[in-house]
Amino acid sequence: PRAEECTPAAAALAALRELWVAPPDTLAVGTQWADSLEFATCRDSVPITVRSARSFRVLGAESRLGQTLVLVERRSATLLSGSGSQFGEPIELEAEGEGTMQLWLSLDGGAVVEGKGDSELRVRMTGRRRTQQLVQRASLSISRP
């Protein structure tokens, strides 16, 4: 893998890409939009291509934390693929997953103020000697300090 794909900064940027929301200028209940992204990263020196498609839908608005927040549901589908070597052995990785989040966006700039959600990723790693499958389940909570 390229050196810049395997740094702590690259890992942090990958997480920020997933949390970044670019809403349209006008948000009304029922408004929908979608985006997608593809980027390279690495895990344990194995270069991985990540493809993510996300859809958003405005569910409502409420007064919280002294301001009006827009409640948005985000659904995502993710595919990962990569190949490389670990300990001198070739390895291939494939994964697919999905997740749902509830995001509360500020009317001032559309920044995420709060959020919560769950996701699942099913991974298959194939090496010369064995194949491993695993499921990763994650819960994410976003809050302002």
Side-chain angles (χ1 to χ4, degrees):
R2 296 186 321 221
E4 66 271 15
E5 295 171 355
C6 295
T7 65
L13 181 58
L16 287 175
R17 283 181 178 123
E18 184 62 22
L19 296 174
W20 184 259
V21 177
D25 291 338
T26 303
L27 296 175
V29 173
T31 300
Q32 297 182 43
W33 74 96
D35 65 15
S36 62
L37 61 106
E38 180 175 320
F39 61 93
T41 188
C42 80
R43 294 285 187 257
D44 297 328
S45 299
V46 175
I48 297 172
T49 300
V50 179
R51 293 175 183 88
S52 180
R54 306 179 310 171
S55 63
F56 301 84
R57 182 170 53 105
V58 176
L59 301 178
E62 56 188 74
S63 180
R64 295 179 60 193
L65 305 172
Q67 59 183 318
T68 301
L69 301 178
V70 178
L71 176 57
V72 174
E73 177 185 66
R74 185 194 80 184
R75 294 186 175 274
S76 60
T78 304
L79 297 172
L80 285 79
S81 61
S83 60
S85 71
Q86 286 186 324
F87 310 109
E89 295 288 329
I91 185 171
E92 294 206 17
L93 180 137
E94 293 180 341
E96 62 179 23
E98 57 278 325
T100 303
M101 286 199 74
Q102 305 291 312
L103 301 168
W104 286 266
L105 307 181
S106 168
L107 285 179
D108 183 23
V112 175
V113 175
E114 288 186 19
K116 63 180 179 178
D118 298 299
S119 63
E120 179 177 287
L121 185 68
R122 296 166 300 283
V123 182
R124 179 181 176 98
M125 295 178 290
T126 305
R128 192 176 65 162
R129 298 177 190 184
R130 66 179 174 157
T131 297
Q132 292 181 297
Q133 296 185 47
L134 61 98
V135 176
Q136 173 185 312
R137 291 183 183 92
S139 292
L140 178 65
S141 179
I142 301 167
S143 62
R144 277 195 172 165

